[in-house]
Short mmCIF file of all heavy atoms in Angstrom, two decimals:
data_model
loop_
_atom_site.label_atom_id
_atom_site.label_comp_id
_atom_site.label_asym_id
_atom_site.label_seq_id
_atom_site.Cartn_x
_atom_site.Cartn_y
_atom_site.Cartn_z
N ILE A 7 29.40 27.67 266.44
CA ILE A 7 28.79 28.94 266.55
C ILE A 7 28.08 29.35 265.25
O ILE A 7 26.96 29.84 265.24
CB ILE A 7 29.80 30.05 266.94
CG1 ILE A 7 30.46 29.70 268.29
CG2 ILE A 7 29.13 31.41 267.03
CD1 ILE A 7 29.48 29.56 269.45
N HIS A 15 18.76 32.23 262.48
CA HIS A 15 18.24 32.81 261.23
C HIS A 15 17.10 31.94 260.67
O HIS A 15 16.04 32.45 260.26
CB HIS A 15 19.38 32.93 260.21
CG HIS A 15 19.12 33.89 259.12
ND1 HIS A 15 19.93 33.99 258.01
CD2 HIS A 15 18.14 34.82 258.94
CE1 HIS A 15 19.48 34.91 257.20
NE2 HIS A 15 18.39 35.44 257.75
N MET A 50 4.94 44.24 257.35
CA MET A 50 5.81 43.14 257.72
C MET A 50 7.25 43.44 257.34
O MET A 50 8.17 43.31 258.16
CB MET A 50 5.34 41.83 257.07
CG MET A 50 6.13 40.62 257.41
SD MET A 50 5.28 39.09 256.91
CE MET A 50 5.20 39.30 255.13
N TYR A 63 22.61 49.70 265.53
CA TYR A 63 23.34 50.68 266.31
C TYR A 63 23.15 50.47 267.80
O TYR A 63 24.10 50.48 268.58
CB TYR A 63 22.88 52.08 265.87
CG TYR A 63 23.33 53.16 266.82
CD1 TYR A 63 24.68 53.54 266.91
CD2 TYR A 63 22.40 53.85 267.63
CE1 TYR A 63 25.09 54.55 267.78
CE2 TYR A 63 22.80 54.87 268.49
CZ TYR A 63 24.14 55.21 268.57
OH TYR A 63 24.57 56.19 269.42
N ASN A 93 -9.97 40.06 262.89
CA ASN A 93 -10.19 41.08 261.86
C ASN A 93 -8.84 41.57 261.34
O ASN A 93 -7.79 41.17 261.85
CB ASN A 93 -10.99 42.26 262.43
CG ASN A 93 -10.38 42.88 263.68
OD1 ASN A 93 -9.21 43.23 263.70
ND2 ASN A 93 -11.18 42.96 264.75
N LYS A 126 36.72 32.32 255.10
CA LYS A 126 35.70 32.09 254.08
C LYS A 126 34.49 32.97 254.36
O LYS A 126 33.39 32.46 254.59
CB LYS A 126 35.30 30.61 254.03
CG LYS A 126 36.44 29.69 253.62
CD LYS A 126 36.91 29.99 252.18
CE LYS A 126 38.01 29.05 251.74
NZ LYS A 126 38.49 29.35 250.39
N GLY A 143 11.65 28.91 252.38
CA GLY A 143 11.21 27.88 251.46
C GLY A 143 10.38 26.81 252.13
O GLY A 143 9.33 26.39 251.60
N VAL A 239 -4.42 26.32 247.71
CA VAL A 239 -3.54 27.07 248.60
C VAL A 239 -2.24 26.32 248.82
O VAL A 239 -1.16 26.92 248.87
CB VAL A 239 -4.25 27.33 249.94
CG1 VAL A 239 -3.28 27.93 250.98
CG2 VAL A 239 -5.45 28.26 249.74
N SER A 326 27.69 44.90 261.72
CA SER A 326 26.27 44.85 262.02
C SER A 326 25.50 45.97 261.34
O SER A 326 24.43 45.79 260.79
CB SER A 326 26.04 44.92 263.53
OG SER A 326 26.56 43.79 264.17
#
Side-chain angles (χ1 to χ4, degrees):
I7 301 300
H15 200 190
M50 181 167 62
Y63 166 69
N93 56 53
K126 297 296 181 182
V239 172
S326 295

